[in-house]
Amino acid sequence: MSQMKFQRLKKLKDDSSPDISEDEDLAIENEDDKPSSQSQQKPTRFEQSGGLDFDFVAYDQDICILGSKGSGKSFLANSIMKSLNGISVWVYDFNFQFHSSRAMVFHDINELLKVYDSAKRGHYILQPHQNDENTFRRFCSEGFKRGNLVLIMDEAHSFLTKQKQLKEFNNIILSGRPRGISCVTLSSRPSSLPNNVLSNAKHVFAFKLNLESDVKFLEGYLGEDVWILMPPDKRHKLKDEAELPEHTFFYRDMDKSEGVIGKV
């Protein structure tokens, strides 16, 4: 099991003036910083709180990381990869976003397979010179064949859509667990992904988004709180909430009834 801790922003109840007891886990201002009664700040549904504990069971659970370009999704995925000590990891990284002093980088999948089949363990990053659908299909197929792997797929929507689903990728999503395979799927266009990516994910992280279609799609899985991920002037809901800071995400364990806001 991999454990990570992020800064957490706690969602409050919808009532605008919650009662705060001394032992509640809410961030409140120091006495000197409190606004006067004549200039009270507008209450918010989201307040900074303690750490967000993220427990990931490798070889058993899937993760989905979504967000617009530059929002922080690749940084988070890279951090997760680095935390997987003693876990075998393959990364499909055609955008050259992943790096680790403990990972080996390859530009040819044949070379990656040759080294992995000899070592049988470690972290491997494929940054293919020939980035096309056939290379992606083979990456998925070879990973599925070997098993006991965490496979990280960057910008998966480049090869997958709701109308175009690849058998090799579907095998990982739908049949990977019995083979000890976890899939970490990254995408800046969540609404374009096949539905089974989200429906089979245990952990979902959603960073800032700019397209209404993406937020509407995620709302069906994560609830209306995902509207906080859009700029206030583009929201249909939560219009009065302040814009989230950079590199902030909405996280939900899909076995729980609601999510939380956190920051890498």
Side-chain angles (χ1 to χ4, degrees):
M1 177 183 294
S2 175
Q3 293 184 323
M4 299 184 69
K5 186 178 285 290
F6 305 102
Q7 179 181 341
R8 175 175 173 176
L9 304 176
K10 185 174 180 180
K11 188 182 77 169
L12 302 181
K13 295 180 180 179
D14 289 337
D15 51 331
S16 61
S17 300
D19 294 325
I20 302 176
S21 63
E22 293 181 357
D23 59 349
E24 273 189 280
D25 188 20
L26 299 175
I28 56 176
E29 302 89 343
N30 294 327
E31 290 294 329
D32 294 337
D33 296 330
K34 286 185 178 179
S36 66
S37 58
Q38 296 178 346
S39 59
Q40 289 185 353
Q41 295 179 344
K42 186 175 182 178
T44 177
R45 295 173 68 183
F46 302 98
E47 292 285 349
Q48 185 173 328
S49 177
L52 184 161
D53 292 317
F54 164 60
D55 295 330
F56 168 57
V57 181
Y59 306 155
D60 184 70
Q61 299 174 349
D62 290 351
I63 302 173
C64 201
I65 304 176
L66 312 166
S68 59
K69 183 178 179 180
S71 61
K73 63 183 185 298
S74 295
F75 179 86
L76 172 60
N78 204 67
S79 299
I80 291 174
M81 177 190 70
K82 292 178 179 180
S83 76
L84 297 175
N85 300 315
I87 302 295
S88 295
V89 182
W90 291 8
V91 184
Y92 194 88
D93 177 29
F94 66 91
N95 278 327
F96 300 83
Q97 295 293 308
F98 287 78
H99 56 85
S100 170
S101 60
R102 295 187 293 126
M104 290 179 280
V105 178
F106 298 87
H107 303 294
D108 184 285
I109 191 169
N110 292 315
E111 290 298 317
L112 183 154
L113 295 174
K114 180 180 178 180
V115 175
Y116 179 80
D117 286 342
S118 175
K120 302 293 185 183
R121 61 182 180 180
H123 292 184
Y124 299 75
I125 300 174
L126 179 63
Q127 297 174 340
H129 287 317
Q130 184 175 348
N131 175 45
D132 57 20
E133 183 180 304
N134 287 333
T135 303
F136 182 76
R137 282 178 180 269
R138 189 175 177 205
F139 180 88
C140 295
S141 176
E142 297 289 354
F144 184 79
K145 186 187 304 180
R146 286 160 177 79
N148 294 326
L149 282 168
V150 174
L151 300 177
I152 301 178
M153 317 286 199
D154 193 20
E155 298 296 0
H157 66 273
S158 300
F159 303 102
L160 308 163
T161 66
K162 285 180 171 55
Q163 293 74 34
K164 179 184 178 183
Q165 300 188 33
L166 304 181
K167 176 183 177 182
E168 294 83 353
F169 181 80
N170 276 350
N171 285 341
I172 292 169
I173 295 297
L174 300 177
S175 305
R177 183 177 179 184
R179 299 188 58 77
I181 296 176
S182 288
C183 187
V184 182
T185 305
L186 283 71
S187 178
S188 57
R189 288 301 318 277
S191 62
S192 297
L193 291 174
N195 291 345
N196 59 21
V197 175
L198 270 167
S199 61
N200 285 278
K202 159 75 169 172
H203 306 279
V204 179
F205 294 85
F207 287 83
K208 284 188 176 181
L209 294 165
N210 296 313
L211 295 179
E212 178 182 312
S213 58
D214 288 330
V215 176
K216 283 185 174 180
F217 172 71
L218 286 180
E219 185 179 10
Y221 288 90
L222 305 177
E224 69 173 23
D225 285 339
V226 295
W227 284 98
I228 197 71
L229 301 172
M230 288 199 79
D233 61 338
K234 294 183 178 180
R235 297 175 192 161
H236 289 191
K237 301 175 183 179
L238 307 183
K239 293 181 178 181
D240 293 334
E241 293 294 327
E243 187 165 6
L244 291 179
E246 285 188 336
H247 307 138
T248 301
F249 56 77
F250 180 88
Y251 165 73
R252 182 171 169 188
D253 177 335
M254 297 304 289
D255 289 338
K256 298 182 179 178
S257 60
E258 61 179 22
V260 296
I261 300 292
K263 186 175 182 180
V264 292

